[in-house]
Amino acid sequence: MIVIWVVVVGGMMYFMSIKPQKKERQRMQELMSSLELGDSVLTTGGFYGVIIDIMEEIVVVEFGSNKNCRIPMKKTAIVEVEKPGQSNTESGEKK
């Protein structure tokens, strides 16, 4: 009887914590691989900007209309990407 409970609790742990983490990690990997120049991004700090250069692990993001405000940051600091000509309602993402 104890073995059945261990299996049930182990299954619940897998489906409630491990599987969603894997799915989120895969989504972030797809997001990072789809980055292109000119994409509008939202950073973990809550800033919106446009990608102007992409390197291996670093992207250069331009914030606002001031051309002098260009900040290099890690790709992992990007939480949301919007392609040019695409609005939030067209992307199909709902939170």
Side-chain angles (χ1 to χ4, degrees):
M1 190 67 170
I2 293 176
V3 174
I4 294 172
W5 281 108
V6 169
V7 170
V8 168
V9 170
M12 286 176 37
M13 291 281 290
Y14 175 76
F15 285 108
M16 293 179 73
S17 64
I18 297 171
K19 190 170 181 172
Q21 287 177 352
K22 284 183 179 180
K23 187 179 275 189
E24 180 65 20
R25 195 174 326 136
Q26 181 182 10
R27 186 188 72 80
M28 287 303 291
Q29 186 67 28
E30 291 172 359
L31 180 76
M32 294 305 131
S33 65
S34 71
L35 291 177
E36 297 176 353
L37 296 179
D39 287 350
S40 297
V41 296
L42 173 65
T43 66
T44 55
F47 295 106
Y48 288 94
V50 177
I51 296 176
I52 59 170
D53 191 18
I54 300 174
M55 294 169 249
E56 287 296 317
E57 292 295 320
I58 297 191
V59 294
V60 178
V61 180
E62 182 176 82
F63 296 99
S65 60
N66 185 355
K67 300 295 183 193
N68 294 326
C69 188
R70 297 176 175 184
I71 300 174
M73 61 180 53
K74 288 192 167 224
K75 286 183 176 180
T76 56
I78 296 173
V79 294
E80 191 176 301
V81 176
E82 184 178 316
K83 301 289 183 186
Q86 175 187 26
S87 69
N88 282 340
T89 57
E90 292 174 354
S91 67
E93 292 183 31
K94 294 184 179 180
K95 294 186 177 185

